[in-house]
Amino acid sequence: MTDMLSTGFVHRRNNGESFADIFNNGVIEIRSGVQPASADAAVTGTLLARITRNGGLWVAGSPSNGLQFVASGRFVAKHPDHVWRLVGIANGIAGYYRLLPNEAYDGLPSTVAARIDGAIGQADASGNFQMFMPSLSITASLNEVVPHFWRGTPPLV
């Protein structure tokens, strides 16, 4: 599939919030199956893993272990001083990711929740992927460093 921005994310960006304002202390979920048709749609698939700071437990509303982002122009990247880790929760094949802010999340459809979805491909694959992994196989015992994260942000004005 492709990079999908939720209506809630676009609304918040259009009203002056930065990417970091929205997603600092958030989390990236890795899920099995086919990416939903829209980032406003309900989550699908099995939660296979989370990417958090230092691989620690992430809890909505708490800044502990949440991801931090830095901006440079229209690009955002992982905070260079932080270690991000992908920690397995269940066994399966990665299909897509959902970036979530540090807010309560029930997985239901929403046009007000900020979130970004993207397809995951294996590192040597070609195609329309927003995240690459050395292997798409996730196990509950997986614990790997995520060395890089960056993305371009369109001017949403």
Side-chain angles (χ1 to χ4, degrees):
M1 293 274 304
T2 187
D3 198 27
M4 305 241 189
L5 309 177
S6 72
T7 303
F9 170 70
V10 172
H11 175 76
R12 288 174 69 172
R13 282 292 307 241
N14 283 343
N15 284 286
E17 290 185 71
S18 72
F19 187 96
D21 290 339
I22 298 166
F23 289 112
N24 269 353
N25 297 314
V27 67
I28 297 174
E29 292 187 344
I30 307 295
R31 295 192 160 268
S32 67
V34 177
Q35 180 181 347
S38 152
D40 292 337
V43 71
T44 60
T46 300
L47 175 60
L48 299 177
R50 283 194 177 103
I51 299 174
T52 64
R53 190 168 5 136
N54 298 318
L57 178 66
W58 179 83
V59 177
S62 169
S64 299
N65 306 314
L67 304 175
Q68 296 281 310
F69 301 90
V70 294
S72 177
R74 63 178 218 89
F75 296 95
V76 293
K78 76 178 233 9
H79 192 289
D81 297 335
H82 294 177
V83 175
W84 289 13
R85 297 189 76 82
L86 184 151
V87 177
I89 296 170
N91 298 336
I93 302 299
Y96 75 100
Y97 73 88
R98 183 165 273 189
L99 172 60
L100 300 167
N102 189 7
E103 300 167 359
Y105 175 66
D106 57 14
L108 298 175
S110 174
T111 57
V112 296
R115 45 201 186 196
I116 297 175
D117 288 356
I120 300 174
Q122 194 156 322
D124 58 356
S126 60
N128 191 8
F129 301 109
Q130 292 70 55
M131 180 183 286
F132 292 93
M133 296 174 57
S135 170
L136 298 181
S137 293
I138 305 275
T139 64
S141 62
L142 185 65
N143 188 321
E144 291 185 351
V145 169
V146 177
H148 308 287
F149 177 91
W150 71 270
R151 65 176 288 117
T153 58
L156 300 170
V157 201

